[in-house]
Amino acid sequence: MRSVCVYCGSNPGRAPIHAEAATRFGEALAARGLELVFGGGRVGLMGTVADAVLRAGGRAYGVIPRQLVEAEVAHTGLTELHVVGTMHERKTKMFERAQGFVALPGGFGTMEEIFEVLTWTQLGMHARPCAFLNVGGFYDHLRAMLDHMVAEGFLKAEQRANVWFGDDIEALLAWMQDYRVEPISKWIVPPTAAEA
């Protein structure tokens, strides 16, 4: 694995533990020689994780829509900043560059981005690791919701098991490095009349 895509808040959150975890995560990426792939912003946890990577001598690759550059939220000190026209282009570029995906705490955008790549895993479009850094229990309710999806028959247990949750950064990165998964069909297809 050469690079990790991080989805996280463009706000810092109320509790200092979020920024502290983003800093530690950025430092851990740099220490392992892993490039950060992210949304290219200088604000919130996005800026925090990028700054930590850069301070530690690592590489940070950002992708940001022109509209956000014009709003003056682009990080101008990155190893590489790619400006695109739309959010769809942004997500595509980030996906193409990354070998794994991690959600740190965040809001709507973070959820939308990590769930898109989780869906692509479910559909067999890639077999890259997806994880949630569960800072201070931030993702406890979401983890329970995924388990509820399994219990209600909307998500296969094997697919749920391929999503990592935890607060140990080194354990997360080691899991991603060793990640191997066989594709699992999303659908539970009933037998046809001829097969029944």
Side-chain angles (χ1 to χ4, degrees):
M1 190 168 63
R2 299 181 309 277
S3 59
V4 174
C5 180
V6 172
Y7 304 122
C8 60
S10 57
N11 288 304
R14 288 201 177 105
I17 58 171
H18 299 308
E20 291 164 5
T23 297
R24 290 197 315 274
F25 194 79
E27 291 168 348
L29 289 179
R32 285 176 171 257
L34 297 170
E35 178 185 64
L36 167 68
V37 177
F38 81 119
R42 64 176 174 80
V43 293
L45 297 187
M46 293 173 70
T48 300
V49 70
D51 287 342
V53 167
L54 295 166
R55 277 196 309 271
R59 294 178 49 81
Y61 173 83
V63 187
I64 193 166
R66 186 165 307 283
Q67 177 185 359
L68 297 183
V69 174
E70 292 166 358
E72 299 182 348
V73 296
H75 196 304
T76 57
L78 302 177
T79 311
E80 188 177 345
L81 179 65
H82 194 90
V83 180
V84 296
T86 67
M87 289 294 286
H88 292 295
E89 291 176 83
R90 177 198 223 180
K91 291 187 295 180
T92 299
K93 288 275 184 197
M94 291 165 69
F95 175 78
E96 290 171 350
R97 186 85 172 210
Q99 275 82 53
F101 306 90
V102 178
L104 274 60
F108 283 162
T110 302
M111 294 299 94
E112 186 264 338
E113 290 170 324
I114 189 68
F115 271 94
E116 182 169 60
V117 293
L118 283 169
T119 301
W120 292 351
T121 303
Q122 191 181 44
L123 294 173
M125 298 170 70
H126 74 89
R128 302 175 212 173
C130 298
F132 290 83
L133 184 62
N134 192 22
V135 179
F138 184 82
Y139 284 120
D140 284 353
H141 295 294
L142 180 61
R143 178 170 52 192
M145 186 67 215
L146 295 189
D147 293 338
H148 183 60
M149 290 175 183
V150 173
E152 291 294 322
F154 290 101
L155 180 64
K156 290 189 176 178
E158 300 94 331
Q159 291 165 333
R160 163 63 188 90
N162 288 334
V163 183
W164 193 93
F165 283 85
D167 61 0
D168 185 322
I169 292 169
E170 289 303 322
L172 186 162
L173 292 174
W175 173 82
M176 293 185 89
Q177 199 74 49
D178 295 337
Y179 181 83
R180 300 289 181 274
V181 66
E182 294 297 322
I184 302 163
S185 176
K186 172 190 183 320
W187 295 279
I188 300 171
V189 182
T192 64
E195 295 170 329

